[in-house]
Amino acid sequence: MVDRPTVAAAGASDGSEVSARELCPVGRTLLLTLRARAEETLRPDAIRRDPEAAAMLPRLQREMPAPHPRPGRRWKTQVGVAVRGRRIDEAVERFAVRHPEGIIIDLGAGLDGRPRRLGGPGLDWLLVDRPEVLDLRRRLLPPGPREHLHAGSLEEASWIDRVRAFGPRPRLIIAEGVLM
């Protein structure tokens, strides 16, 4: 028998279902990566663990698109998401060690749980995404004191103004959900 990792509930403690119906087709892609991260987390030999994703998955289960009909393709997606996520986690960890008072700008943040898992007490996170995505995020992952949400398009300069408002601090930009 293999022990599976346990996960704490994300967001509201009642574990109630949350709807993602208001997401546009582009926004709904976060459901595919969420499922891949959650399923990978529950594997005994996981490449990367994301307990927040595993806790959110049951709350969005009815919203999930049908799995890819070819199991091999779904597995490749899961491994790709895990490897990419692990590499980004490593970059964030290196940045946090070198710049403990830095800021991480997460473009297309979606339901990324990194601000809860990585970094330190002096690290700020600017999470940029579409308004409807951030509304869903607030319901599932209420922002912590160092998580700053910016709703808007990456095509607009307003998010850059938010970065400037943090002053001359070291910055790391990640765009995992945007550059897939």
Side-chain angles (χ1 to χ4, degrees):
M1 179 177 206
V2 176
D3 289 331
R4 297 217 179 237
T6 58
V7 293
S13 59
D14 65 2
S16 60
E17 286 190 14
V18 175
S19 175
R21 279 180 230 124
E22 69 275 6
L23 298 179
C24 69
V26 171
R28 290 185 67 79
T29 62
L30 70 82
L31 298 173
L32 299 172
T33 57
L34 176 70
R35 178 175 28 214
R37 294 188 337 253
E39 290 177 353
E40 181 65 20
T41 296
L42 298 176
R43 291 177 46 81
D45 60 345
I47 295 168
R48 170 185 184 240
R49 297 202 190 281
D50 186 342
E52 291 83 6
M56 285 185 277
L57 185 64
R59 296 186 67 196
L60 288 165
Q61 198 62 47
R62 289 188 191 176
E63 307 290 331
M64 287 293 154
H68 197 280
R70 294 190 339 232
R73 181 118 184 238
R74 183 172 173 186
W75 172 245
K76 288 177 186 175
T77 298
Q78 183 172 324
V79 170
V81 166
V83 169
R84 180 185 68 207
R86 183 173 174 175
R87 297 295 301 263
I88 293 172
D89 283 357
E90 291 166 353
V92 168
E93 289 169 342
R94 284 191 306 270
F95 178 82
V97 167
R98 291 184 188 129
H99 308 287
E101 300 295 322
I103 179 168
I104 297 177
I105 301 105
D106 191 346
L107 303 178
L111 298 175
D112 186 359
R114 279 187 188 92
R116 294 165 186 257
R117 293 184 294 107
L118 303 175
L123 197 64
D124 279 297
W125 292 76
L126 177 62
L127 306 168
V128 182
D129 215 318
R130 303 167 64 90
E132 67 274 12
V133 171
L134 292 182
D135 286 344
L136 177 63
R137 181 183 181 87
R138 281 184 194 93
R139 292 193 305 267
L140 291 165
L141 292 170
R146 301 204 69 118
E147 294 174 50
H148 312 276
L149 306 183
H150 180 79
S153 170
L154 295 178
E155 297 171 353
E156 300 167 359
S158 60
W159 70 270
I160 297 170
D161 295 334
R162 288 284 304 270
V163 171
R164 288 185 184 128
F166 283 98
R169 295 166 60 185
R171 299 173 176 108
L172 174 68
I173 296 175
I174 58 178
E176 180 178 22
V178 175
L179 303 175
M180 290 185 50

